[in-house]
């Protein structure tokens, strides 16, 4: 089994937390793991991207080749589009539809959504709204994690939930439960697609 995942977003959105949680779950399953991160100008506003490779076999490189990603996961719709050349023919895109409008020439959302909706395998919804409804505005990354989790080969839902417990456990039970609630809301939303 293998899952090659590109995680993308903007600095401060929690993309690297998703990578940490998936990595913890993979290690608990005794899977091989490689990760590479690009932070750019990530201090609140710049792009952040991570290559996360999980496999039952040894992994030679931490970088995903063009056309090799099984999954593009993004908290920002334009960032999802940026990495489409890496998506495999049967790969999935899971993205938030709420833009992080941080540049002067941000494209029209209708055009961004038309390009996303033209893809054969896409899960796209307003993860910010779901997060606010179930856990709070800072939990959009956990909604995204839940929405992408069904497409990550080799990782059971319960193992990812254990990863959430490990990563957020030091912040207290209330924080763990809030993040689990957001994760489950994202999972349920993706299951309806």
């Amino acid at each position: 089994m293998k899952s090659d995942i590109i995680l993308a977003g903007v600095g401060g959105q929690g993309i690297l937390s998703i990578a940490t949680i998936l990595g913890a779950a993979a290690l608990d399953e005794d899977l091989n793991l490689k990760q590479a991160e690009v932070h750019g100008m990530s201090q609140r506003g710049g792009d952040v991207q991570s290559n996360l490779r999980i496999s039952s076999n040894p992994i030679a490189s931490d970088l995903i080749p063009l056309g090799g990603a099984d999954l593009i996961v993004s908290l920002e719709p334009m960032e999802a589009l940026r990495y489409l050349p890496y998506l495999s023919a049967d790969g999935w895109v899971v993205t938030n539809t709420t833009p992080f409008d941080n540049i002067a020439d941000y494209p029209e959302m209708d055009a961004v959504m038309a390009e996303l909706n033209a893809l054969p395998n896409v899960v796209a919804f307003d993860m910010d709204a779901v997060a606010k409804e179930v856990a709070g505005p800072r939990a959009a990354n956990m909604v995204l994690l839940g929405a992408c989790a069904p497409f990550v080969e080799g990782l059971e839902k319960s193992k990812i939930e254990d990863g959430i417990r490990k990563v957020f456990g030091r912040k207290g039970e209330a924080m763990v439960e809030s993040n689990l609630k957001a994760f489950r809301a994202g999972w349920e939303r993706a299951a309806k697609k």
Side-chain angles (χ1 to χ4, degrees):
M1 82 41 63
K2 79 157 186 72
S3 282
D4 285 341
I5 306 165
I6 292 180
L7 298 152
V10 175
Q13 288 186 307
I15 287 296
L16 299 181
S17 294
I18 293 172
T20 301
I21 291 164
L22 289 174
L27 292 175
D28 277 353
E29 288 289 311
D30 290 325
L31 296 171
N32 294 294
L33 170 73
K34 294 240 183 199
Q35 180 180 355
E37 298 171 359
V38 175
H39 297 273
M41 297 294 289
S42 64
Q43 290 86 9
R44 303 273 181 222
D47 65 318
V48 176
Q49 180 259 12
S50 179
N51 281 232
L52 184 63
R53 306 188 80 187
I54 301 168
S55 178
S56 54
N57 297 315
I59 303 167
S61 172
D62 53 358
L63 297 177
I64 298 170
L66 289 172
D70 301 303
L71 189 57
I72 294 175
V73 178
S74 181
L75 262 169
E76 207 291 324
M78 189 177 73
E79 291 299 322
L81 294 178
R82 180 189 309 261
Y83 295 100
L84 285 183
Y86 290 89
L87 189 64
S88 68
D90 58 346
W92 280 83
V93 173
V94 180
T95 186
N96 190 358
T97 57
T98 304
F100 190 94
D101 194 350
N102 60 338
I103 55 174
D105 57 348
Y106 194 96
E108 292 293 321
M109 274 308 295
D110 289 343
V112 171
M113 291 312 300
E115 194 164 343
L116 284 169
N117 290 329
L119 298 170
N121 301 317
V122 64
V123 174
F125 61 92
D126 186 344
M127 297 183 189
D128 289 3
V130 173
K132 287 176 189 171
E133 180 184 317
V134 301
R138 292 185 47 96
N141 64 331
M142 291 300 104
V143 174
L144 177 63
L145 175 59
C148 79
F151 307 103
V152 179
E153 188 177 331
L155 294 183
E156 298 294 324
K157 180 181 177 188
S158 63
K159 293 297 182 182
I160 298 172
E161 288 180 345
D162 289 346
I164 291 170
R165 288 181 186 94
K166 283 182 183 172
V167 169
F168 292 105
R170 63 183 167 78
K171 294 184 178 184
E173 192 58 31
M175 179 66 78
V176 170
E177 287 306 315
S178 176
N179 281 294
L180 285 171
K181 192 172 183 182
F183 169 80
R184 291 170 184 150
W187 179 284
E188 290 170 13
R189 191 72 186 260
K192 294 177 184 176
K193 296 288 180 182

